[in-house]
Amino acid sequence: MDNIDSLTGFLNRSGCLQTAGRLFTDPQSTGKQLAVIWINFDRFKQINESFGHLEGDELIKNLALRFRKRVSGRAELSRMSGDEFVFLIPKYDRNEAQQFASEMASTVEEPIFIGKLTMRPTASIGIAIHEPGENAFALLERAEHAMFAAKNKGGNCIVCSGDEPIPGRLGITLAREELAIESILHTALETGGLSLHYQPIICANGQVEAVEALMRCSVNGENIPPGKFIPVAEKTGLVVRLGEWSLLQGAMQARQLHDAGYRTKAAINVSRAQLISAKFTLALHAALICSNVKPELVELELTESLFMDISETVQKNLKNALAAGVSLAIDDFGTGYSCLANLKDIPAKKLKLDRAFVTVLPEDRRALAVVRAMTQLGHELGMSVVAEGCEKQSEIDSLLEIGVDAIQGFFYARPMPEDSLLAWLKNRSSHD
Ligand code: C2E
Ligand code: CA
Ligand code: CA
């Protein structure tokens, strides 16, 4: 393959390093920096071994010429080793670099004819953008590292430096942002950065039947939304500790509402990881005992997906929860893949229809038909039906007409901290 470099005029490894150093720009003056795109063909070794080195050479030459044509002066091209190419592009940002990398990926994928075979090669691509103070060697190393991450993901993909999966505390592979969230969650658990906000659920007759406890996480003034921290907590197993904390806090809130004269339940979210644990019953009993609340004022919201496969431990936990006197609700109904055959065996008193169905009401007649059918199903199974995520009067009108029993959504109230909830309830009862 020695003739390839001279044939196409690509830089070699040391030429690439030197050129990279020369292409650094002053970020203050341009706002854009040198981008390095590291390309490594997938399964090249296999091609060499099965077809021979001459064919391998031919393939590389073909691809190198394609790159040259496609890049047409936009980048400095280097060949680092047999099947590895690096492109240096001055004054690029991350988006531009990603776009360029996708363009190169499609260049690689165009069919190549070797003998009687049509090959459709793919590549693993790593991207690194120059950071202030970084030398050329470190920059190229980051791009290569990102390329390896793309290879480890199965190849045929692009990874930006900084987005590579790296091992987490529990040996689970987490992306960098997820690791940061995991660390924030640990801090929150240790320093009181968790809180619960409460969102009212309102019956068709206007009564506030329950408030849903929704977890909030704030550390050093930074608020992380549950949509971000709950999935990380689930991956790392931290959700069990978070869940135990919210069970206790939620139960204490139910007790406080009762003491303040309201007959309003606290609905507490319980994750799958909690329910599949043999310790769940103990945690529930501890929360009920410590808060000294009437168990009928506590409702557990369980996501629909839990019921796809109910293990013996889950069944036992659910039975024990019912025996303790709390009630169960099926959350996010309609979004999972629950087996309707299982639904009849679930001892829940409430079905919560996911917001996805509500947002398209009342214009979408088909969605209306689905909500009507789900509501009927819930009623026939002896459950009350709650619609989540209602933001407009028109949605509420359609839902009540269909026969939904209760409504939860920003239209009535957003989730709010404990003191605002008490003020909200007081204000509401003074208008009754
Ligand atoms: P979820 O259980 O379905 O909770 C309802 C979510 O819908 C809440 O989001 C709430 O703020 C939002 N919502 C309510 N009404 C409206 C509306 O009218 N419009 C819009 N756009 N959104 C509305 P939030 O608080 O961000 O929580 C997201 C999810 O995080 C929850 O979904 C739940 O799955 C999970 N989560 C929250 N707290 C806990 C917890 O303590 N334990 C567990 N395991 N999961 C929790
Ligand atoms: Ca919920
Ligand atoms: Ca829900």
Side-chain angles (χ1 to χ4, degrees):
M1 275 193 278
D2 290 338
N3 62 339
I4 295 179
D5 290 346
S6 53
L7 204 140
T8 56
F10 281 59
L11 296 167
N12 61 17
R13 193 175 272 267
S14 67
C16 177
L17 258 173
Q18 276 170 18
T19 312
R22 230 181 351 96
L23 291 177
F24 288 164
T25 43
D26 174 8
Q28 243 114 46
S29 68
T30 64
K32 295 191 177 189
Q33 282 128 58
L34 174 66
V36 178
I37 317 276
W38 193 298
I39 301 186
N40 183 306
F41 301 128
D42 299 327
R43 288 169 287 116
F44 182 65
K45 193 164 166 268
Q46 207 181 334
I47 294 170
N48 255 342
E49 282 167 4
S50 354
F51 297 102
H53 288 266
L54 274 180
E55 301 290 13
D57 272 15
E58 202 49 40
L59 181 81
I60 295 284
K61 204 162 89 180
N62 204 312
L63 288 168
L65 290 172
R66 270 188 202 175
F67 282 147
R68 186 147 209 88
K69 204 163 148 204
R70 190 78 182 256
V71 167
S72 67
R74 281 182 290 167
E76 289 286 349
L77 308 181
S78 333
R79 183 156 159 254
M80 307 303 271
S81 66
D83 64 335
E84 266 183 324
F85 289 84
V86 164
F87 300 164
L88 305 174
I89 320 165
K91 299 183 192 162
Y92 251 33
D93 61 22
R94 186 182 154 111
N95 276 345
E96 287 167 325
Q98 268 172 325
Q99 215 170 337
F100 181 93
S102 329
E103 219 185 289
M104 291 309 121
S106 36
T107 303
V108 172
E109 279 164 32
E110 286 164 23
I112 290 184
F113 306 101
I114 299 187
K116 285 186 187 156
L117 281 179
T118 308
M119 310 274 311
R120 285 184 178 79
T122 57
S124 301
I125 305 182
I127 299 177
I129 310 283
H130 183 227
E131 285 174 359
E134 191 177 32
N135 65 30
F137 186 81
L139 171 63
L140 283 161
E141 203 173 50
R142 278 200 299 119
E144 186 179 19
H145 191 261
M147 179 280 291
F148 279 127
K151 195 129 306 228
N152 286 337
K153 278 171 94 174
N156 194 14
C157 64
I158 301 166
V159 169
C160 272
S161 173
D163 294 345
E164 304 97 327
I166 44 178
R169 258 182 239 195
L170 298 171
I172 296 162
T173 304
L174 291 175
R176 199 168 288 235
E177 191 196 3
E178 290 181 339
L179 263 183
I181 293 175
E182 186 196 350
S183 145
I184 289 174
L185 282 175
H186 277 283
T187 311
L189 268 165
E190 283 150 23
T191 61
L194 296 177
S195 61
L196 289 179
H197 281 194
Y198 299 93
Q199 188 180 31
I201 302 173
I202 295 158
C203 286
N205 67 10
Q207 194 198 336
V208 183
E209 63 148 341
V211 289
E212 178 174 2
L214 293 158
M215 200 181 288
R216 299 292 177 258
C217 172
S218 169
V219 169
N220 298 331
E222 191 188 354
N223 296 314
I224 324 278
K228 280 199 162 172
F229 73 77
I230 294 285
V232 176
E234 277 169 350
K235 266 195 196 176
T236 54
L238 270 174
V239 77
V240 174
R241 278 174 70 194
L242 297 185
E244 284 174 2
W245 179 87
S246 89
L247 256 181
L248 177 61
Q249 296 299 316
M252 293 205 302
Q253 186 60 56
R255 166 76 208 227
Q256 273 188 23
L257 290 176
H258 172 266
D259 290 351
Y262 300 107
R263 283 203 50 78
T264 300
K265 288 193 252 181
I268 303 165
N269 289 287
V270 176
S271 75
R272 182 184 160 80
Q274 285 173 274
L275 265 192
I276 60 173
S277 155
K279 291 191 194 144
F280 176 74
T281 300
L282 202 66
L284 177 63
H285 285 165
L288 293 175
I289 291 166
C290 291
S291 61
N292 195 20
V293 68
K294 287 184 182 169
E296 63 264 30
L297 292 177
V298 172
E299 186 168 80
L300 305 181
E301 292 198 3
L302 317 169
T303 65
E304 182 196 10
S305 55
L306 187 79
F307 304 112
M308 277 184 345
D309 168 26
I310 306 187
S311 70
E312 228 172 82
T313 313
V314 172
Q315 281 184 37
K316 222 174 182 178
N317 282 335
L318 293 180
K319 211 172 119 208
N320 291 340
L322 289 178
V326 304
S327 56
L328 306 179
I330 299 176
D331 202 1
D332 304 336
F333 186 68
T335 56
Y337 302 92
S338 74
C339 174
L340 287 183
N342 281 347
L343 196 62
K344 68 177 181 1
D345 300 323
I346 299 161
K349 281 199 178 148
K350 190 185 274 180
L351 199 62
K352 296 187 79 177
L353 303 182
D354 193 76
R355 190 170 85 87
F357 301 102
V358 172
T359 42
V360 290
L361 297 178
E363 295 83 11
D364 188 335
R365 301 203 59 78
R366 294 171 75 88
L368 218 55
V370 173
V371 173
R372 186 172 285 122
M374 290 196 296
T375 306
Q376 243 171 31
L377 178 70
H379 285 163
E380 298 218 352
L381 291 170
M383 296 188 241
S384 72
V385 176
V386 178
E388 291 187 287
C390 304
E391 294 183 358
K392 297 188 203 131
Q393 183 71 59
S394 58
E395 292 164 355
I396 296 172
D397 293 344
S398 312
L399 288 160
L400 293 178
E401 198 192 304
I402 286 173
V404 160
D405 304 283
I407 306 277
Q408 175 181 1
F410 291 175
F411 181 81
Y412 286 119
R414 286 181 177 256
M416 49 198 148
E418 184 185 339
D419 47 352
S420 312
L421 171 74
L422 289 171
W424 185 90
L425 286 168
K426 199 166 166 202
N427 181 38
R428 194 174 164 88
S429 53
S430 70
H431 288 93
D432 278 351

